[in-house]
Structure formats: C-alpha cells, structure tokens
Amino acid sequence: MEPTGLIGDSAAMRELRRRIQRVAPQDVTVLIQGESGTGKERVAEALHRGSRRREGPLVKVNCAALAEGVLASELFGHERGAFTGADRRRRGRFEIADGGTIFLDEIGEMSPGMQTKLLRVLQEGELRRVGDTATRKIEVRVIAASNRDLEAMVAAGTFRKDLLYRIRVVKIDLPPLRSRPEDLTTLVEHFLARHDKQRRLTVSAAAMRALARYAWPGNIRELENVIERCVLQIGRASCRE
C-alpha cells in the first residue's frame, strides 16, 4: 500500500499525495474538506505520520457524535464535581494530544458556543478544564475536517469566520470517487484482498462496468461496503451483477 495509506494513481490522487508530503512537515493547522467517505481521516493520519510529531499521539475526535456539554468535557477535560456524574478528574483530548496532533472530524457540526471555546484554545494555546479555574498550556497541531461548505456556513452566520481563518491555514480538498474513475479497479482489488481472505472472488467485466456507471455518493466508504457485502453474501467463484 502507498505510504500515505491513500490508494489510486489518478492525477488527482498523485497531486493529493504531493500536497500531503509538502504540508505534513510544516507545523501548521490544516483543514481537510471533502464529501463523506472520501478519506479525510486517512489524510489526517498521513499528515501526522509525515510530521515532526510522528512519535507523539494522534488523537481523533468526531465532533458530530457528541452533544455540546459532553464535547466540552471530551476536548478540554473536567474536574471532579464539575457536573452530575463527574466523580473524578479527567484529562481532555487536547491534553492527551499534547506534543502530538488532534484531529477534529466534522468540525462544522460544532455549536456556536463550542466554536467560541475552541477558538480561545487555538488563540491562546491553553485550555481550562470544565469546572476548573486554572489554565494549562498545550502544544498541539490541529487538523480539522468537514464535509460541509464552511465558507457558506460563515455567510449564513452558523460558523465563526475567525475560527475558519484559524483552522484553514492550509486547506486540502479531497476528490470524490466519481471524479477519479480510473482508480476504481485498484480500489476494488484492494477491498477484495482485505475482505476475501481466502481469495475466492473475482469481479467480472460486466460488474466492473456497472460499478463504473454508478455515481458513488458515499464514495470510498460506500464502495468498500459494497465489496464487503458481496464477499459475505455471495461467497462463490465470481462476483457478478
């Protein structure tokens, strides 16, 4: 597999790998934008591996999966007694990532209040645990990702312009699968090798033509799901339409 973990030899993928190699050593905040399933987490991993922080932690947070109060505690930590159920002190993800990288996935789903708190951390390089009065210095590289148009959200007043400027020092746009059909065969072979351990299945020419005609709104994630389902459900000598 490619050292970046990104599969495909289309012009778009070659340019993406070149951009990752240029940006990774620079200790700057990066915004990765792309449709759902295009591999934003894989790009974040490649950026971390290529950075001077590679020996430090890479901490991942899905901002869409947690409510605002829970997200604040998850990111910044909390003191014992800070809220109901806080029976002990807990370090947040930023503290755990100190000296390394934090990946904030789906940052566009953050509430306005959480955006303000995050902006303060990025500006000051320090945080305050929920329920604490003291601040703590941190030294973390931030990589953010979103499948939403953050500039449109700024125009609509749902995302802070100053926060966008902070996280978009460098922007990396990921191509959707439908824009690089020449990579489809390589991806199919990769996912077959991953999920068909006994190497029982092949993909017929007719099936490949059908795959190529499809628009793949779920991108690489959807393609892998289709191949995995094929392996599980068919389990015979060839995978046909």
Side-chain angles (χ1 to χ4, degrees):
M1 185 186 296
E2 247 288 326
T4 60
L6 302 171
I7 300 165
D9 197 43
S10 61
M13 293 305 290
R14 291 196 300 270
E15 175 55 33
L16 175 59
R17 282 192 285 268
R18 283 193 292 267
R19 186 154 176 76
I20 289 171
Q21 288 165 3
R22 288 195 301 268
V23 171
Q26 305 173 34
D27 206 24
V28 296
T29 303
V30 180
L31 173 63
I32 306 167
Q33 288 206 270
E35 295 177 9
S36 179
T38 49
K40 295 184 287 294
E41 184 174 338
R42 295 292 169 264
V43 172
E45 291 168 350
L47 288 168
H48 177 70
R49 285 196 303 270
S51 74
R52 67 176 180 82
R53 300 171 180 270
R54 65 178 66 88
E55 300 302 324
L58 171 60
V59 177
K60 304 172 185 178
V61 183
N62 185 337
C63 300
L66 301 168
E68 179 175 355
V70 177
L71 183 58
S73 173
E74 191 74 16
L75 289 178
F76 311 131
H78 63 253
E79 291 295 311
R80 180 179 179 182
F83 49 83
T84 302
D87 56 356
R88 59 186 175 86
R89 175 183 294 169
R90 181 182 178 186
R91 291 195 305 156
R93 298 294 187 92
F94 268 96
E95 282 189 76
I96 295 170
D98 197 19
T101 304
I102 190 166
F103 174 52
L104 302 177
D105 198 9
E106 303 304 346
I107 196 170
E109 304 303 321
M110 272 191 179
S111 69
M114 274 304 304
Q115 292 175 35
T116 300
K117 292 172 184 175
L118 175 61
L119 179 63
R120 187 176 302 118
V121 171
L122 298 182
Q123 286 176 332
E124 305 299 330
E126 60 184 27
L127 58 80
R128 179 180 297 141
R129 291 174 181 162
V130 177
D132 197 3
T133 57
T135 58
R136 290 169 173 79
K137 283 287 185 183
I138 54 167
E139 207 271 311
V140 177
R141 182 184 193 178
V142 175
I143 299 175
S146 180
N147 61 10
R148 303 182 66 179
D149 185 340
L150 297 184
E151 291 185 354
M153 292 180 66
V154 167
T158 55
F159 198 83
R160 293 186 63 122
K161 182 187 293 186
D162 44 5
L163 178 57
L164 178 59
Y165 292 156
R166 281 282 175 180
I167 63 174
R168 197 186 58 186
V169 176
V170 172
K171 181 183 175 187
I172 295 179
D173 291 300
L174 301 193
L177 181 55
R178 63 182 172 275
S179 74
R180 51 186 188 104
E182 59 268 54
D183 290 332
L184 190 60
T185 299
T186 303
L187 286 162
V188 168
E189 291 173 350
H190 171 75
F191 292 135
L192 266 180
R194 173 182 291 180
H195 296 291
D196 182 21
K197 301 298 185 183
Q198 298 178 359
R199 302 293 191 270
R200 297 171 302 172
L201 304 184
T202 60
V203 181
S204 69
M208 280 303 307
R209 288 194 294 271
L211 293 175
R213 287 194 297 269
Y214 184 58
W216 299 106
N219 292 288
I220 300 168
R221 185 182 298 128
E222 182 181 7
L223 175 62
E224 180 173 14
N225 179 266
V226 167
I227 298 301
E228 183 177 11
R229 192 165 66 246
C230 175
V231 170
L232 291 174
Q233 292 181 355
I234 297 177
R236 61 191 184 195
S238 63
C239 174
R240 306 185 187 281
E241 291 180 275

